[in-house]
Each structure stands twice: as C-alpha cells, then as structure tokens.
Amino acid sequence: MPNMKEIKNHINSVRDTKKITNAMYLIASTKMRKAKSGLDKTRPYFDAMRGEIKRIFRRAPYVDSRYFYPADGKILEGGTYGCLIITSDKGLAGAYNINAIRAAESLLKKHAKTKLFVVGEYGRQYFSQKKIPIEHSFLYTAQNPTMQRAREISSILLDMYDSGQVNKIYVVYTDWKNGLTEEATTARLLPFHRNEFMNENEKNITTPFEFLNSVEMVLDTMMPSYVSGYIYSALIDSFCCEQNARMTAMDSANRNAEKILENLSTQYNRVRQAAITQEITEVSAGAKAQRQKKEVAGIE
C-alpha cells in the first residue's frame, strides 16, 4: 500500500495534468470560434458564386465543361483518382483522425489507383508507416486553414486534373453537421454532377444573355474559384471538428482527473488516519508500559 508521500505526489501530478488539459480545452474553444468566424465571412461570396453557376445552367443546361459530367449523365469509370485527406497535426482529439483515415483507406480498397494528397502531420506519419505512397503532403495547413492555403491545394489538384493525371478527385474530411455532430465524409470534388447545380423546380432562363468570350469559358473560369472555396470549407469544417473533438477529449480527461483526485483524497485520508491511529496506539502502549514498569518497581 502506498504511503502518504507517494499519494501526495500522485495528487500533485494529477492536478498539474488537469491544469494542462483545462488549458487545452480553452485553447481549442478559442480556435474553433475564430475559424468558424472566418468561414462565415467568406461563405456569402461562394454562395453567390454557386448561384451564378446555377444561373448559367438554367440559361445553357447543355453547356460542355471538363469540370462536369457530360450532359447525357454518363458516369466516367476507371482511370486514376486523386484523394485529398484532411487530418490534424496533433493528437489528443479522440477518434477524429482515425475516422478520416479509415474513410480514405476504404476508398483505396475500392480503387487501388489512387494518389494521396495529405493535409496534416498525423495522416502523413500514418501513411508513411504503412508504406502507402503519398503524392503530396501539405505542412502546417491543418493548424492554419486559410483561403490562400486552400488556393495552393486547389491549384495542385486542378493542374493534375486538367493534365489528365487524375480523372476524379475526392475529398475526405470531417463534416461538422449543424455544429452538433461530426462525421468522416468522402465527397467527390471533381467532376461535378450537373444536378448539384440544377433544380427541377426552377424554370430555364429564356432571356438572352451575352457571355464573353463564351459560356464555356465563363464557366471554366469560375470553377477553379469554386473548387478553392469548397476545399477551404472542408479545411474549416475539419478544423472545427478537430477542436470540438479535442474539447470533448479534454473535458473527459478533466472529469476523469476529478474522479482520480477524489479517490486519491479518500485514500490519502485513510492512510493519514491509519498513521494517526497507529501513532496514538504506540503512545498509549508506551504509556501503559511505563505505568506497568512503575508499578513493578513500587512492589519491589
């Protein structure tokens, strides 16, 4: 059974750890609010861009673009896929990283010819240890998701898509659904389905529009910016989910620390009381022995 000094050292150690987990909880909360604020400021621009793309399809529903499936709805199969997987640079975030990695591994099993583009040190180390080739890794992006970094990722992916090195591009990220739940999601980034921008309830526009130089060129010029916005949204969603998962993990760690401290305090009090009882017993036994000694000396 540990003595009082060992228990006291254990209590101090748990308290120090609790201070760290509590600080990490507060830091994660601040980062999440800041990231969400940045997304809210940029979302109206990309919502407006999506609206303009929808307007183009309402005016010219059969416009041809390399960023969309053909107008006849024919699905392109085969070829090489590109997969952008978003993980974190750090651990201590519950199952956040492993859920995204499992989703990426599921895609790799279904389509072996897939090139990996990894965001986050956690994912890079995981796939390196598994000897899975990585086409490109983006350092420091997971902890600092900005529009500029999203454009850099988008530029690399679009170059490979335009050159025919990849036929489809998928994004594996963690979706923050309604700010309440999070789920690892695999979404096809390119090519888009036209149905994503066309609504059967909306009537086609018959009013003539003039597109310079052509409607195809206008659409192809808009899509890279829209892809950048999609990637930026995925980065922010994943970052918010990471911070939320870390907050949950740190909150759980704080509650566990409180339970441990409660148990240690109870154990410490028992050991202390036992030591006091033993000391009193020893003093009483000593006093009794002294009395008996005096009694024996008096008789003699």
Side-chain angles (χ1 to χ4, degrees):
M1 186 175 182
N3 57 37
M4 292 175 59
K5 184 177 180 181
E6 292 174 344
I7 297 175
K8 193 68 177 291
N9 290 338
H10 195 179
I11 290 174
N12 291 334
S13 176
V14 173
R15 285 176 176 169
D16 291 340
T17 302
K18 188 171 180 291
K19 290 178 182 178
I20 295 173
T21 56
N22 188 54
M24 292 180 66
Y25 177 91
L26 296 175
I27 292 171
S29 175
T30 302
K31 286 183 176 180
M32 184 176 67
R33 287 197 300 269
K34 182 179 179 181
K36 191 174 183 301
S37 174
L39 179 63
D40 291 340
K41 291 178 181 178
T42 58
R43 193 184 296 276
Y45 170 78
F46 294 104
D47 287 343
M49 182 175 290
R50 181 180 178 85
E52 292 304 315
I53 296 173
K54 291 176 65 176
R55 182 178 298 183
I56 289 176
F57 278 110
R58 290 172 61 196
R59 174 64 182 85
Y62 299 105
V63 60
D64 188 27
S65 173
R66 63 184 181 277
Y67 298 117
F68 291 85
Y69 279 124
D72 58 8
K74 183 179 179 181
I75 304 298
L76 304 176
E77 299 294 346
T80 302
Y81 292 180
C83 176
L84 175 68
I85 174 173
I86 302 174
T87 62
S88 68
D89 288 328
K90 303 175 182 178
L92 299 177
Y96 166 78
N97 286 300
I98 198 63
N99 286 341
I101 287 173
R102 284 173 179 169
E105 287 180 329
S106 177
L107 179 62
L108 289 173
K109 289 179 181 179
K110 293 178 181 177
H111 195 85
K113 294 177 63 177
T114 300
K115 295 184 177 181
L116 281 178
F117 300 83
V118 181
V119 173
E121 183 65 16
Y122 192 101
R124 188 192 69 79
Q125 291 187 6
Y126 178 88
F127 289 113
S128 296
Q129 291 173 0
K130 295 289 184 179
K131 307 297 182 184
I132 299 176
I134 298 175
E135 185 71 19
H136 198 289
S137 60
F138 302 95
L139 302 178
Y140 312 116
T141 302
Q143 289 300 310
N144 186 24
T146 62
M147 192 63 220
Q148 179 60 33
R149 294 183 183 275
R151 289 194 181 100
E152 293 172 1
I153 297 172
S154 173
S155 176
I156 293 174
L157 294 176
L158 287 174
D159 285 345
M160 298 193 70
Y161 182 79
D162 292 337
S163 63
Q165 298 181 55
V166 295
N167 302 94
K168 292 182 181 180
I169 297 177
Y170 287 85
V171 181
V172 177
Y173 69 103
T174 308
D175 189 15
W176 200 30
K177 295 182 178 298
N178 302 322
L180 299 175
T181 60
E182 52 189 56
E183 179 183 356
T185 303
T186 302
R188 189 189 64 257
L189 179 59
L190 289 173
F192 289 101
H193 269 305
R194 295 168 183 264
N195 293 338
E196 297 177 19
F197 296 89
M198 298 175 66
N199 192 333
E200 295 180 355
N201 297 326
E202 294 179 347
K203 296 181 179 180
N204 291 337
I205 297 177
T206 57
T207 305
F209 278 88
E210 183 178 0
F211 296 94
L212 298 176
N213 292 326
S214 65
V215 62
E216 290 83 4
M217 183 172 291
V218 171
L219 186 60
D220 288 350
T221 302
M222 295 175 66
M223 291 312 298
S225 294
Y226 184 79
V227 169
S228 298
Y230 191 104
I231 292 176
Y232 178 62
S233 177
L235 288 171
I236 294 294
D237 265 350
S238 296
F239 183 74
C240 289
C241 288
E242 176 195 348
Q243 303 308 321
N244 185 58
R246 184 165 289 114
M247 288 170 60
T248 302
M250 294 303 102
D251 183 58
S252 177
N254 285 336
R255 291 197 300 268
N256 290 336
E258 290 174 357
K259 291 180 181 178
I260 293 173
L261 287 174
E262 183 179 352
N263 294 333
L264 287 174
S265 297
T266 302
Q267 187 178 0
Y268 178 81
N269 290 332
R270 287 176 179 173
V271 173
R272 183 170 62 88
Q273 290 172 1
I276 293 173
T277 302
Q278 183 178 357
E279 186 175 349
I280 293 174
T281 301
E282 291 175 354
V283 171
S284 299
K288 184 177 180 181
Q290 289 294 328
R291 287 197 302 271
Q292 291 177 350
K293 185 178 180 181
K294 289 181 181 180
E295 290 176 0
V296 172
I299 294 173
E300 294 177 352

